[in-house]
Amino acid sequence: MFPINRPRRLRQNEVIRRMVRETILTPDDFIYPVFVCEGAEVRKEISSMPGSYQESIDNLVENVREAHALGVPSVILFGIPDHKDAQGSEAYNDDGIVQRAIRAIKDAVPEMYVMTDVCLCEYTDHGHCGIISDGQILNDPTLELLAREAVSHAKAGADLVAPSDMMDGRVEAIREALDDEGYTDIPVMSYAAKYASAFYGPFREAAESTPQFGDRRSYQMDPANRIEAIKEVELDIMEGADIVMVKPALSYLDIISDIRETVDVPVAAYNVSGEYSMVKAAAQLDWVDGDRVMMEILTSIKRAGADLILTYHAKEAAKLLNG
Ligand code: PBG
């Protein structure tokens, strides 16, 4: 008690503050999400996500090379195909945009750990994450397509696959399909607790994946639910998930913290597009210091318990951390 106890003693200068700091962010924590499209020399900035681009494979490889040089160990690929249909067939085309991008990255920057987002919404003309009949998003028939997509990514050289569709049973379906094809060592990072969130708005512009009718509330989680997140995560681990993810991150720090205390696998958190865009917009208006707010947000996600952070800030944050 005061005056014996004076917590300010350990805040006197930067050296002691650094010595007692509890949470240390490093570029090793980051997974950098990138959007790949058809064509050559394409580098189109996403208007709602300044500093993020839709890129053709040539420019994507340069972007990945830069990320690697900054110490970012991993990227996660999102594909924007030219052709979309009801079954999302480009998703599991061995010559699809993501499959070619994986091969190009592995050729040019083999040490980069390449993850892929496994989902149909970027590839379906209706923009939903599953196949549709009578206005319903069908669960079980979608599983086979997701499994084919995951195998196709693994075949192209992906290091890890990350299903983001929120169909029940997809982790098991993907694990089995990978094992059947001999990819027993390819891990699955499941978007386990993924909420139906308005924070995905800018991503849907970036990935051209806005649902053409309805919304995703019949498969993604209700933002009001906390206990259900534990159920989702436990089911995915039983099905074989190697890493589980909470998404979004910033409004869901309580969920990250709960999950970190409950499970014994690494926990990832997705600092999603809307969280990124809000920082960029406020910084452009000079309403906040963008760099400081970015580092504070990333630190808070790690402090809450995330072992890995998917973030569009990966390169700029790595630059600051490298000094
Ligand atoms: C695809 C997917 C989405 C995101 C990642 N994978 C969008 C969605 O579910 O609508 C969102 C990423 C972001 O907002 O940064 N299923």
Side-chain angles (χ1 to χ4, degrees):
M1 270 220 303
F2 186 77
I4 303 289
N5 283 295
R6 290 178 183 272
R8 288 185 54 192
R9 289 188 194 113
L10 299 184
R11 298 178 201 140
Q12 291 303 305
N13 61 54
E14 182 52 21
V15 179
I16 187 64
R17 285 195 295 270
R18 205 167 75 217
M19 290 170 68
V20 299
R21 189 159 294 146
E22 297 174 40
T23 306
I24 313 283
L25 208 56
T26 94
D28 281 335
D29 301 325
F30 301 147
I31 300 165
Y32 179 39
V34 289
F35 302 98
V36 58
C37 63
E38 295 288 354
E41 288 172 39
V42 182
R43 189 169 165 83
K44 190 172 148 216
E45 190 164 42
I46 298 149
S47 60
S48 54
M49 298 177 70
S52 277
Y53 303 85
Q54 294 183 343
E55 298 172 304
S56 49
I57 290 177
D58 47 356
N59 282 329
L60 173 76
V61 166
E62 290 321 303
N63 190 6
V64 169
R65 210 190 290 281
E66 278 172 35
H68 178 255
L70 288 165
V72 176
S74 179
V75 292
I76 183 162
L77 297 180
F78 293 93
I80 308 157
D82 273 352
H83 169 76
K84 302 191 187 212
D85 57 33
Q87 316 288 318
S89 52
E90 277 303 296
Y92 36 90
N93 173 356
D94 286 346
D95 243 340
I97 182 68
V98 163
Q99 288 81 351
R100 278 177 283 133
I102 297 166
R103 292 195 285 265
I105 293 171
K106 280 291 168 188
D107 253 9
V109 198
E111 320 81 63
M112 184 53 97
Y113 194 85
V114 177
M115 304 186 175
T116 59
D117 183 82
V118 172
C119 195
L120 296 182
C121 65
E122 298 124 67
Y123 306 92
T124 49
D125 49 14
H126 47 70
H128 276 291
C129 306
I131 52 181
I132 290 182
S133 174
D134 289 335
Q136 301 290 315
I137 291 88
L138 303 181
N139 194 88
D140 300 13
T142 300
L143 301 182
E144 194 213 318
L145 302 184
L146 294 168
R148 279 169 67 182
E149 181 179 6
V151 168
S152 176
H153 291 171
K155 213 184 283 177
D159 294 294
L160 172 152
V161 294
S164 67
D165 51 281
M166 287 299 276
M167 297 299 124
D168 294 329
R170 79 273 170 74
V171 173
E172 181 179 84
I174 288 171
R175 182 71 269 157
E176 272 181 14
L178 288 172
D179 291 354
D180 283 350
E181 297 290 329
Y183 298 108
T184 51
D185 291 336
I186 301 291
V188 175
M189 174 171 78
S190 74
Y191 289 65
K194 179 177 180 181
Y195 288 86
S197 170
F199 285 99
Y200 308 151
F203 173 94
R204 293 186 187 166
E205 179 201 335
E208 300 174 6
S209 65
T210 307
Q212 296 306 299
F213 68 90
D215 54 44
R216 302 208 201 290
R217 279 184 275 198
S218 76
Y219 41 108
Q220 298 180 347
M221 283 178 60
D222 183 339
N225 292 359
R226 184 168 179 176
I227 298 164
E228 191 188 9
I230 295 174
K231 176 173 82 178
E232 280 285 4
V233 163
E234 285 178 342
L235 286 173
D236 281 6
I237 293 173
M238 281 191 272
E239 290 180 30
D242 300 280
I243 302 175
V244 291
M245 191 200 300
V246 175
K247 177 186 176 192
L250 199 47
S251 289
Y252 299 83
L253 296 177
D254 54 336
I255 311 296
I256 298 172
S257 165
D258 285 355
I259 304 289
R260 181 59 296 163
E261 295 205 343
T262 316
V263 304
D264 56 5
V265 299
V267 176
Y270 202 140
N271 175 217
V272 300
S273 57
E275 300 170 11
Y276 173 86
S277 300
M278 290 196 304
V279 172
K280 292 295 172 191
Q284 274 180 7
L285 288 167
D286 259 328
W287 286 359
V288 297
D289 178 328
D291 281 352
R292 288 191 54 201
V293 167
M294 164 180 77
M295 295 313 265
E296 191 171 328
I297 288 174
L298 294 171
T299 301
S300 73
I301 295 170
K302 185 159 185 189
R303 190 192 63 225
D307 304 292
L308 300 161
I309 305 171
L310 295 89
T311 181
Y312 304 95
H313 292 297
K315 278 168 69 177
E316 45 179 347
K319 230 173 264 173
L320 289 182
L321 290 169
N322 295 335

